[in-house]
């Protein structure tokens, strides 16, 4: 069709015609659709009505079939019971003693009682040992099961509806006795369907003679047996028509089945009365019509669904293009979602890489800062040392500061190596016996000077510990305590207080001591945010107060790992500006050897007095000393102690030892000692037991008659050693002093060291002590030097471990195997940077006498060599 652009009237006319045609077409389609839909609806309704009617009839038939199935199930149960009873009667006929057989027979949930009555008698015996009388049973109705008479229903001794069947016991063709077995109706319940018509129907079992319901559906309200019968059923369900009652009665009397419609609980229902065992019992109940028609409704619903689907398919053809577009849109969305997921995964991977890189950067930054700080001091003071070499005062000052910085640098390196070995799982505990006293003393010797320098009070208490001799890794345990306590010293301001408490907890096993270690301070404290990461590596509290404290941030991570490696737990609580409390719980095995009780008897110590204003300390000493057979009296003041001493002395039963605290309210320890010394002989030792620095009181205490000093906390082993020292039977102090004062002058050593700088330093250090040495560059050369030397040339061998050609372990083993007399006896001391506990163990196993960790401390070297060289001289 052609038209001119300017002909607007023609254009509008054509557009109107098109719109009219479209509207007419739409109206025609709508009318056709409505007609088709109306026809289909009428057809569907007609079919649904017909199917509903047919399904209802089918459902009634199905109900009949279900009732027949239930009837058959009950009949089978009865027949099986009768068959079993016949077999049992046959088995009884073969036994010599039927009564004994019955009494030995076990009942079950179905058969509740088995009885036997001899022929011609009225009474017999049951399997439960009770007397049985058949006169109590009613068999007058004449009902049977597989030829066996069955009694009317009754309530048995358990309050449950039951019935009994009897069977003759025949021997040689004559009846010798009658077997009675009691069964319960409740046993039918297990064989019948649990939910009849999905629980909407009701089903009872009725005994015909009594018209009582002997089996009720599950869930019905409990009532006494015998109180539910057919009349109750009528009343409960409003079936009050006499005509219906009459028809039901006639059907039951004739043993016939009957169904009828009636309203039950405002629902149209189908009532059924169904005969079982030829009318001896009846199934009675009802099924709502809606439950019966449910299947028909389901079919109608399915038909409607089919029609609806067909209509939807019709409309679907019209919108196929739209669906296709939607599908394409969905595919695009899925691809976008997949792309977003990949981008998210890449972002997470990038974030993980950035976190790892950040952790690495943080570690390197921390280590760079912490290592460069002491290194800067070392290099700076080395430069100053070269500049002021002629000034002895400054040289000593610079040397002291270089040594301090070097020790700090060494502690940083040790921390990094420790955490590396722990995280790689290469740490091995070195288990051995140790005493709690030695461990506490070692820790106290390190921490107390640190606390004293900052004018802090450091208090140590031990309570409730029953066994001092324990088995564990003393070195690692010391490391845990020193880490915790040194942190408390660093993060507690000057003048603050630090407490270490070792508490004996209740033992879970007689072979293990359950110990709790508490380290508490009143320092700066920690924020909740920092508490959450305190045991992570490379973390430190950051604030204006603590930023000046140096460290790697590895101490707590190492501590936690060591505690967990020992099988213990560690926890912390803290408040800002109030302090912190670390708690470590451990179980350590008790060593086989215990304190020798004979020691106290041999030294005549059977009674002591402890004087301390803290009652817990006195109680702890009492408990520990009573364990070794020593009676301990306790006094809380100096005045009371003087009174006790006077009373006992006047009775001629004075104390063998007196333990005195120093600072007590009222009369202090020194004044108390002076007064006590006026009463008792000089032979009775008075010992100071105090947690304070002895330098403050030692001179005054000696003047007051004090014989010795002991540091708190109290240990039995430390007390024993002090008694030996006071009685002049132990010379530990003198021996240690002798080792400390041992001179290396004139000694000649073989040194195995591959590092020229280290060998030169060692040569100079030995030279400063008046000793000399011969350097071997590796283990092989050291072995050859010793082999070529004459006996006694070398006083000892100082052996490095990591060397080329032959390491220190191999060289030591080779020397010990040489066929010369001094090869087995010459002291071989490991001097190595391998400073872990397993390295010490490996050195001992290789045949080395001792292990000294680098960097070299000449005090340790002199004490170690002194111990072996003095022994060599005395031989």
């Amino acid at each position: 069709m052609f038209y001119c652009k300017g002909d607007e009237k023609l254009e509008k006319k054509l557009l109107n015609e098109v719109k009219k045609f479209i509207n007419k077409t739409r109206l025609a389609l709508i009318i056709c659709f409505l007609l088709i839909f109306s026809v289909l609806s009428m057809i569907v309704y007609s079919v649904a009505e017909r199917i509903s009617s047919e399904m209802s009839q089918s459902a009634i038939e199905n109900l009949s079939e279900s009732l027949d199935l239930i009837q058959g199930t009950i009949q089978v149960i009865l027949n099986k019971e009768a068959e079993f009873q016949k077999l049992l009667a046959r088995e009884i006929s073969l036994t010599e003693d039927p009564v004994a057989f019955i009494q030995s027979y076990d009942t079950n949930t179905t058969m509740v009682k088995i009885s036997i009555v001899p022929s011609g008698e009225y009474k017999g015996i049951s399997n439960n040992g009770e007397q049985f009388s058949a006169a109590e049973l009613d068999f007058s109705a004449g009902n049977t099961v597989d030829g066996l008479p069955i009694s009317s229903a009754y309530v048995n001794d358990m309050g449950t509806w039951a019935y009994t069947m009897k069977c003759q016991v025949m021997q040689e063709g004559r009846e010798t006795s009658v077997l009675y077995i009691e069964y319960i109706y409740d046993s039918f319940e297990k064989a019948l369907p649990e939910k009849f018509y999905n629980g909407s129907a009701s089903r009872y079992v009725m005994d015909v003679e009594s018209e009582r319901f002997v089996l009720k559906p599950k869930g019905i309200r409990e009532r006494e047996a015998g109180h539910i019968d057919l009349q109750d059923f009528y009343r409960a369900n409003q079936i009050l028509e006499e005509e219906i009652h009459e028809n039901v009665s006639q059907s039951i009397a004739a043993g016939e089945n009957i169904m009828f419609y009636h309203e039950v609980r405002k629902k149209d229902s189908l009532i059924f009365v169904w005969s079982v065992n030829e009318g001896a019992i009846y199934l009675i109940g009802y099924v709502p019509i809606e439950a019966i028609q449910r299947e028909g409704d389901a079919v109608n619903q399915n038909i409607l669904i089919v029609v609806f689907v067909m209509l939807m398919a019709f409309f679907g053809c019209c919108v196929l293009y739209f669906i296709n577009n939607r599908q394409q849109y969905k595919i695009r969305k899925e691809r976008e979602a997949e792309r977003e997921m990949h981008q998210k995964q890449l972002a997470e991977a990038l974030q993980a890489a950035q976190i790892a890189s950040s952790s690495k950067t943080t570690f390197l930054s921390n280590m760079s800062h912490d290592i460069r700080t002491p290194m800067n001091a070392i290099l700076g003071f080395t430069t100053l040392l070269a500049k002021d070499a002629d000034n002895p005062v400054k040289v000593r000052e610079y040397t002291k500061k270089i040594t301090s910085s070097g020790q700090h640098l060494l502690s940083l390196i040790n921390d990094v190596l420790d955490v590396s070995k722990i995280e790689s799982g290469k740490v091995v505990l070195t288990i051995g016996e140790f005493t709690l006293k030695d461990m506490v003393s070692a820790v106290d010797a390190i921490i107390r000077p640190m606390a004293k320098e900052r004018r802090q009070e450091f208090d140590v208490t031990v309570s409730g510990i029953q066994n001092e001799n324990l088995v564990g890794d003393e070195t690692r345990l010391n490391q845990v305590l020193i880490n915790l306590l040194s942190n408390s010293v660093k993060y507690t301001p000057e003048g603050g207080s630090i407490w270490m408490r070792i508490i004996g907890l209740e033992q879970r096993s007689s072979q293990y001591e359950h110990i709790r270690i508490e380290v508490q301070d009143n320092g700066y404290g920690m924020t909740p945010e920092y508490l959450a990461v305190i045991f992570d590596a490379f973390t430190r509290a950051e604030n204006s107060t603590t930023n000046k404290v140096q460290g790697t941030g590895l101490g707590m991570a190492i501590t936690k790992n060591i505690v967990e490696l020992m099988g213990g737990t560690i926890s912390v609580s803290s408040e800002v500006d109030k302090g912190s409390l670390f708690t470590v719980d451990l179980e350590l095995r008790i060593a086989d050897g215990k304190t020798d009780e004979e020691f106290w008897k041999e030294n005549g110590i059977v009674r002591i007095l402890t004087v301390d204003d803290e009652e817990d300390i006195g109680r702890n000493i009492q408990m520990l000393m009573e364990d070794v057979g020593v009676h301990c009296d306790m006094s809380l003041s100096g005045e009371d102690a003087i009174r006790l001493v006077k009373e006992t002395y006047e009775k001629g039963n004075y104390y063998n030892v007196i333990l005195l605290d120093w600072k007590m309210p009222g009369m202090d320890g020194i004044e108390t000692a002076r007064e006590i010394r006026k009463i008792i002989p000089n032979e009775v030792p008075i010992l100071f037991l105090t947690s304070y620095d002895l330098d403050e009181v030692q001179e005054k205490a000696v003047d007051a008659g004090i014989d010795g000093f002991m540091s708190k906390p109290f240990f039995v082993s430390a007390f024993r050693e002090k008694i030996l020292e006071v009685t002049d039977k132990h010379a530990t102090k003198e021996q240690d002093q002798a080792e400390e004062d041992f001179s290396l002058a004139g000694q000649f050593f073989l040194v195995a060291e591959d590092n020229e700088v280290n060998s030169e330093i060692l040569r100079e250090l030995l030279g400063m002590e008046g000793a000399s040495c011969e350097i071997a560059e590796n283990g092989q050369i050291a072995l050859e030097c010793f082999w070529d030397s004459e006996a006694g040339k070398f006083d000892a061998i100082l052996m490095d471990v990591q060397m080329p050609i032959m390491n220190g372990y191999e060289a030591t083993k080779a020397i010990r195997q040489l066929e010369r007399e001094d090869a087995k006896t010459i002291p071989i001391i490991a001097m190595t940077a391998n400073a872990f506990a397993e390295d010490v163990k490996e050195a001992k196993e290789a045949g080395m006498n001792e292990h000294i960790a680098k960097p070299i401390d000449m005090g340790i070297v002199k004490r170690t060599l002194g111990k072996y060289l003095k022994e060599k001289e005395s031989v």
Side-chain angles (χ1 to χ4, degrees):
M1 181 180 295
F2 297 94
Y3 61 93
C4 297
K5 291 183 179 180
D7 195 348
E8 294 180 0
K9 291 184 179 181
L10 180 59
E11 183 177 351
K12 290 180 179 180
K13 184 178 180 180
L14 289 173
L15 288 173
N16 289 332
E17 291 294 329
V18 170
K19 288 179 180 179
K20 288 180 181 179
F21 175 77
I22 292 173
N23 290 333
K24 289 180 180 179
T25 303
R26 287 178 178 175
L27 180 61
L29 287 173
I30 291 171
I31 292 172
C32 291
F33 175 75
L34 290 174
L35 289 173
I36 293 171
F37 184 79
S38 299
V39 172
L40 286 175
S41 297
M42 292 176 62
I43 294 173
V44 168
Y45 179 78
S46 169
V47 171
E49 283 293 315
R50 182 169 58 84
I51 290 178
S52 178
S53 175
E54 293 176 355
M55 289 301 295
S56 297
Q57 184 61 35
S58 176
I60 294 173
E61 294 175 0
N62 288 339
L63 175 60
S64 299
E65 291 176 0
S66 298
L67 293 172
D68 288 340
L69 180 62
I70 294 173
Q71 174 197 36
T73 300
I74 296 175
Q75 193 66 51
V76 168
I77 293 173
L78 293 172
N79 290 340
K80 289 293 182 182
E81 291 173 348
E83 182 181 351
F84 175 77
Q85 191 162 343
K86 289 178 182 179
L87 291 173
L88 188 60
R90 196 174 299 120
E91 188 174 351
I92 291 173
S93 69
L94 300 176
T95 61
E96 296 180 359
D97 190 352
V99 173
F101 178 84
I102 289 297
Q103 289 181 335
S104 65
Y105 206 88
D106 293 331
T107 59
N108 53 41
T109 55
T110 302
M111 301 185 302
V112 297
K113 185 164 70 174
I114 303 174
S115 309
I116 190 167
V117 177
S119 296
E121 296 183 16
Y122 293 101
K123 294 183 179 181
I125 191 73
S126 299
N127 63 326
N128 57 12
E130 296 177 354
Q131 194 177 43
F132 172 77
S133 175
E136 300 173 358
L137 302 175
D138 181 10
F139 291 93
S140 60
N143 296 320
T144 63
V145 177
D146 195 17
L148 297 184
I150 181 171
S151 71
S152 298
Y154 59 90
V155 179
N156 64 7
D157 296 338
M158 297 184 296
T160 302
W161 281 105
Y163 59 92
T164 297
M165 286 193 285
K166 65 180 180 178
C167 177
Q168 293 178 322
V169 179
M170 308 292 293
Q171 286 184 346
E172 298 180 356
R174 66 183 182 85
E175 179 186 296
T176 60
S177 57
V178 180
L179 175 65
Y180 293 86
I181 298 181
E182 180 179 291
Y183 305 90
I184 58 173
Y185 281 101
D186 287 347
S187 63
F188 293 169
E189 192 67 44
K190 295 180 180 179
L192 300 180
E194 289 190 9
K195 293 185 178 180
F196 198 37
Y197 276 89
N198 292 324
S200 60
S202 177
R203 177 199 66 225
Y204 302 86
V205 175
M206 184 185 76
D207 178 63
V208 171
E209 289 299 312
S210 61
E211 291 190 350
R212 290 177 178 173
F213 291 170
V214 295
L215 184 63
K216 300 172 291 183
K218 287 184 179 180
I220 193 170
R221 185 180 61 184
E222 294 295 333
R223 297 169 64 183
E224 294 181 4
H227 285 192
I228 296 181
D229 54 20
L230 184 59
Q231 298 304 317
D232 283 333
F233 179 77
Y234 288 152
R235 287 191 295 272
N237 298 301
Q238 297 295 311
I239 306 174
L240 306 177
E241 295 86 350
E242 292 295 332
E243 183 180 355
I244 294 177
H245 295 180
E246 183 66 25
N247 291 337
V248 171
S249 298
Q250 291 177 0
S251 298
I252 291 176
E256 297 175 349
N257 301 331
I258 183 174
M259 285 188 186
F260 59 90
Y261 290 98
H262 199 279
E263 186 179 88
V264 176
R265 298 178 183 178
K266 299 181 180 181
K267 290 184 180 180
D268 292 333
S269 302
L270 186 61
I271 315 298
F272 59 86
V273 182
W274 220 253
S275 171
V276 180
N277 193 30
E278 299 179 353
I281 56 178
Y282 262 84
L283 288 170
I284 295 179
Y286 65 87
V287 182
I289 298 298
E290 63 182 20
I292 297 176
Q293 293 180 340
R294 191 170 293 151
E295 295 180 3
D297 293 341
V299 172
N300 289 336
Q301 185 178 5
N302 289 336
I303 292 174
L304 292 175
I305 290 173
V306 170
V307 173
F308 179 75
V309 169
M310 292 176 62
L311 291 174
M312 289 301 297
F314 172 74
F315 285 110
C317 293
C318 300
V319 295
L320 184 61
Y321 178 75
F322 172 76
I323 293 174
N324 182 61
N325 282 346
R326 292 286 297 175
Q327 187 67 25
Q328 292 296 325
Y329 175 76
K330 184 179 179 181
I331 292 173
R332 286 196 303 271
K333 292 293 290 183
E334 288 177 353
R335 288 177 179 175
E336 289 177 3
E338 185 178 357
R339 190 181 304 111
E340 289 178 0
M341 183 183 68
H342 285 304
Q343 289 175 349
K344 183 178 179 182
Q345 291 174 345
L346 290 173
E348 290 175 352
L350 177 61
Q351 184 180 9
Q354 288 173 342
I355 291 172
S357 177
S358 176
S359 299
K360 177 182 176 182
T361 302
T362 302
F363 168 70
L364 292 175
S365 175
N366 285 341
M367 291 309 300
S368 175
H369 173 269
D370 291 329
I371 289 177
R372 285 175 184 274
T373 299
M375 278 299 298
N376 181 63
I378 292 171
L379 293 175
F381 284 116
T382 302
T383 302
L384 294 175
L385 188 63
K387 178 182 178 183
D388 297 323
D390 297 331
N391 189 333
V393 176
K394 290 190 175 182
V395 166
R396 282 192 294 272
E397 181 184 352
Y398 297 158
T399 304
K400 182 180 178 181
K401 292 180 178 179
I402 289 172
T403 302
S404 175
S405 297
Q407 291 293 341
H408 177 58
L409 180 60
L410 180 62
S411 70
L412 297 178
I413 295 171
N414 284 339
D415 278 352
V416 173
L417 294 178
D418 260 354
V419 79
S420 174
K421 289 179 73 70
I422 288 170
E423 291 181 349
S424 64
K426 295 181 180 179
V427 169
V428 179
L429 296 178
T430 303
I431 304 300
E433 292 189 12
F434 69 95
T435 64
L436 205 58
K437 184 260 305 182
D438 291 340
M439 183 192 76
V440 172
S441 298
V443 172
D444 185 87
I446 295 172
I447 299 301
R448 192 168 295 280
M450 296 170 57
K452 184 178 179 182
E453 186 178 352
R454 293 173 59 84
R455 294 184 290 106
Q456 297 167 339
E457 289 188 10
F458 178 44
D459 184 54
V460 181
T461 59
V462 178
S463 61
I465 300 296
Q466 299 181 10
N467 300 277
E468 296 178 31
N469 300 321
L470 304 172
V471 177
D473 191 334
E474 183 181 7
T475 303
R476 291 295 182 184
L477 197 51
N478 280 347
Q479 186 178 0
V480 168
L481 294 179
I482 291 170
N483 277 350
L484 295 176
L485 289 166
S486 60
N487 267 3
S488 291
V489 172
K490 287 190 291 186
Y491 293 103
T492 299
E494 291 190 4
S497 298
I498 298 163
W499 299 268
M500 181 175 76
R501 294 181 286 269
I502 300 179
I503 305 166
L505 303 179
E506 183 179 355
Q507 291 177 267
R508 298 189 180 102
S509 168
S510 60
Q511 297 179 345
Y512 287 84
E513 187 76 25
H514 192 187
I515 294 176
R516 171 167 293 170
I517 301 171
E518 294 181 348
V519 174
Q520 186 176 6
D521 61 65
N522 58 358
Y524 304 124
M526 293 172 278
T527 62
E529 294 77 15
Y530 180 62
L531 280 177
V533 297
I534 184 173
F535 294 115
D536 295 344
F538 310 111
T539 57
R540 288 187 299 188
E542 297 293 337
N543 59 54
S544 59
T545 307
T546 63
N547 280 349
K548 296 180 181 180
V549 179
Q550 295 180 339
T552 58
L554 296 173
M556 288 299 101
I558 293 171
T559 299
K560 182 175 186 292
N561 280 289
I562 291 175
V563 170
E564 291 179 348
L565 194 62
M566 292 180 175
T569 60
I570 183 170
S571 60
V572 59
S573 60
S574 182
E575 289 187 43
V576 176
D577 296 329
K578 291 186 178 180
S580 304
L581 171 63
F582 287 86
T583 303
V584 176
D585 282 359
L586 290 171
E587 286 191 284
L588 298 174
R589 190 161 61 84
I590 300 169
D592 295 334
K594 293 187 177 181
T595 304
D596 185 11
E597 296 184 14
E598 295 299 323
F599 166 81
W600 307 99
K601 294 179 182 179
E602 290 172 2
N603 286 271
I605 300 175
V606 295
R607 189 179 188 190
I608 68 172
L609 173 65
T610 176
V611 186
D612 198 305
D613 60 310
E614 295 186 43
E615 186 175 357
D616 290 343
I617 295 176
R619 296 292 181 198
N620 186 56
I621 296 174
Q622 277 186 327
M623 179 193 72
L624 295 175
M625 294 310 298
E626 286 174 1
D627 286 344
V628 295
V630 177
H631 177 74
C632 179
D633 287 337
M634 183 180 69
S635 176
L636 299 178
S637 67
E639 293 84 356
D640 185 56
I642 294 170
R643 180 186 59 79
L644 288 174
V645 171
K646 284 182 179 179
E647 290 177 359
T648 55
Y649 185 71
E650 289 171 357
K651 294 177 183 178
N653 187 24
Y654 52 82
Y655 296 106
N656 305 118
V657 181
I658 297 175
L659 294 173
L660 270 177
D661 189 19
W662 171 23
K663 291 189 176 180
M664 296 184 292
M667 185 179 290
D668 66 9
I670 294 177
E671 188 177 351
T672 303
R674 286 198 183 98
E675 295 300 320
I676 290 176
R677 187 54 81 190
K678 294 176 183 178
I679 303 170
I680 63 174
N682 291 331
E683 294 80 23
V684 177
I686 300 178
L687 304 177
F688 248 17
L689 179 63
T690 180
S691 58
Y692 294 94
D693 194 339
L694 295 177
D695 294 340
E696 302 178 31
V697 72
Q698 191 162 7
E699 186 176 346
K700 294 180 181 179
V702 173
D703 293 340
I706 300 298
D707 297 286
F709 302 88
M710 292 177 58
S711 297
K712 291 183 180 178
F714 176 85
F715 291 102
V716 175
S717 57
F719 188 30
R720 174 177 173 166
E721 290 179 5
K722 186 56 63 176
I723 293 297
L724 288 172
E725 180 183 326
V726 169
T727 56
D728 222 11
K729 293 181 179 179
H730 194 54
T732 303
K733 183 176 180 181
E734 290 76 5
Q735 181 180 348
D736 291 344
Q737 187 64 39
E739 290 177 359
E740 186 71 27
D741 296 339
F742 178 76
S743 175
L744 298 181
Q747 305 290 333
F748 187 61
F749 304 106
L750 173 59
V751 176
E753 175 62 69
D754 63 318
N755 187 286
E756 292 183 8
V757 175
N758 289 344
S759 61
E760 185 62 29
I761 291 173
L762 186 56
R763 187 194 299 273
E764 291 298 327
L765 291 174
L766 291 173
M768 291 168 60
E769 299 294 334
S772 57
C773 64
E774 181 176 336
I775 305 297
E777 297 176 359
N778 56 59
Q780 180 66 43
I781 296 175
L783 175 62
E784 294 172 355
C785 287
F786 181 77
W787 174 251
D788 294 336
S789 67
E790 59 186 19
K793 178 182 178 181
F794 298 112
D795 294 292
I797 300 174
L798 305 180
M799 183 75 71
D800 189 18
V801 171
Q802 291 188 352
M803 295 183 291
I805 303 176
M806 180 182 286
N807 63 36
Y809 300 137
E810 295 169 347
T812 301
K813 291 177 183 177
I815 291 173
R816 294 300 189 202
Q817 293 172 1
L818 293 177
E819 296 181 358
R820 50 187 285 179
E821 185 176 351
D822 60 343
K824 303 292 189 296
T825 59
I826 186 170
I828 302 178
I829 311 298
M831 299 184 70
T832 174
N834 296 353
F836 293 108
E838 51 267 33
D839 299 318
V840 177
K841 182 179 179 183
E842 190 172 358
K844 294 290 183 67
E845 291 174 350
M848 299 183 185
N849 299 85
E850 288 290 347
H851 178 285
I852 299 176
K854 292 180 180 178
I856 301 301
D857 185 328
M858 283 308 295
I860 297 175
V861 173
K862 287 173 63 178
R863 284 196 297 272
T864 304
L865 289 173
K867 180 169 62 173
Y868 290 99
L869 295 180
K870 285 182 70 66
E871 290 177 0
K872 182 179 177 183
E873 290 174 1
S874 62
V875 174

